[in-house]
Amino acid sequence: MTPTLLITGANRGIGLALTERYLEHGWRVIACCRFPGSAPHLMTLKNHYASLTTQALDVTDHAAVQQLASNLSDTPIHLLNNNAGQYGPKGYQLGETDTEAWREVLAVNTIAPLVMAESFTPHLTLANNSGHTPIFAFISSKVGSMSDNQSGGGYIYRSSKAALNAVVKSLSIDLRPKGIRTVALHPGWVQTQMGGPNALITADISAQGLKQVLDTLTDSQSGHFLDYQGNTIAW
């Protein structure tokens, strides 16, 4: 059976790079983003690969997530990569936190990934029955590590990723009986719209590393927080 990847936030950056890597390796890819028709690089890939389908999806629209899951009810999904993310405001100081923006970031970075997992667990269970160990992968960030925080600030984005890591850890326990692996991934500081031009690595380098980590993920690593080179990050 040809393995299937469903990925969110596939229109640019790491999501687009991961989509291309998996297509190159013969996977079927279901690439989700809010406006696929406005993503020229994704549309170019779609014209080149018959194995790529695109879906318009706002991950904060829970009814739309559940409808997509229903539409794909007979589709085994071997890897679901929760990549869609939002940084929120930058440059604010203590005392200036925009609580409404905080709610929006939590909706994208923390709540939506759990809703995706709840909605698509049956699809990963189908893949497990086909003899392939399925994976829920969640793109997190090292700034969500409380152990690593030496600079303070970043309350909105940090907290959303720390909360996501807690979700991933619980999912790894709850999904273990179903044979589904779950992992939080730090993609590195990547040259994307979110990471900025001064970041250390390209999206392609990050995607190559993340795919290698996922290709070699073991049962003992389920519920862990790993970077794109396979190193464990402290919570």
Side-chain angles (χ1 to χ4, degrees):
M1 175 185 291
T2 301
T4 297
L5 161 68
L6 189 150
I7 183 168
T8 63
N11 55 311
R12 64 176 184 240
I14 298 166
L16 181 65
L18 282 166
T19 296
E20 188 166 8
R21 293 291 81 72
Y22 279 90
L23 289 168
E24 289 174 350
H25 284 83
W27 283 55
R28 177 191 176 199
V29 178
I30 303 168
C32 303
C33 60
R34 287 182 297 170
F35 307 109
S38 300
H41 296 298
L42 185 60
M43 290 298 99
T44 298
L45 289 176
K46 188 176 182 180
N47 292 333
H48 186 70
Y49 290 98
S51 55
L52 172 62
T53 58
T54 57
Q55 293 284 343
L57 182 68
D58 179 342
V59 294
T60 65
D61 184 342
H62 301 162
V65 169
Q66 291 161 4
Q67 184 61 57
L68 179 59
S70 177
N71 294 345
L72 297 172
S73 60
D74 295 329
T75 302
I77 294 175
H78 302 82
L79 171 61
L80 197 155
N81 194 312
N82 288 275
N83 167 72
Q86 184 172 321
Y87 191 87
K90 297 181 179 180
Y92 62 93
Q93 304 298 319
L94 180 62
E96 302 172 347
T97 304
D98 183 337
T99 55
E100 186 56 41
W102 196 354
R103 291 185 184 94
E104 292 175 3
V105 172
L106 286 168
V108 176
N109 293 358
T110 309
I111 298 171
L114 179 57
V115 172
M116 289 290 294
E118 290 177 332
S119 300
F120 285 93
T121 290
H123 306 69
L124 273 73
T125 303
L126 283 176
N128 199 25
N129 293 339
S130 70
H132 188 288
T133 302
I135 300 171
F136 275 122
F138 298 82
I139 301 301
S140 184
S141 173
K142 193 174 182 180
V143 300
S145 166
M146 286 178 273
S147 302
D148 187 69
N149 184 357
Q150 303 298 319
S151 59
Y155 296 97
I156 292 174
Y157 190 66
R158 282 190 191 278
S159 64
S160 74
K161 292 302 186 179
L164 173 63
N165 290 348
V167 167
V168 172
K169 182 62 177 178
S170 283
L171 280 173
S172 72
I173 296 167
D174 293 338
L175 295 178
R176 186 176 299 139
K178 296 181 181 292
I180 298 173
R181 294 172 182 159
T182 307
V183 66
L185 297 169
H186 169 56
W189 186 16
V190 186
Q191 295 164 10
T192 63
Q193 187 176 53
M194 185 182 295
N198 297 322
L200 297 178
I201 61 172
T202 65
D204 284 337
I205 290 173
S206 175
Q208 290 169 16
L210 292 171
K211 185 177 185 301
Q212 176 65 21
V213 171
L214 291 168
D215 286 347
T216 58
L217 193 73
T218 64
D219 282 339
S220 64
Q221 291 175 309
S222 185
H224 284 215
F225 187 13
L226 306 173
D227 70 12
Y228 73 103
Q229 296 175 312
N231 301 309
T232 298
I233 299 174
W235 299 115

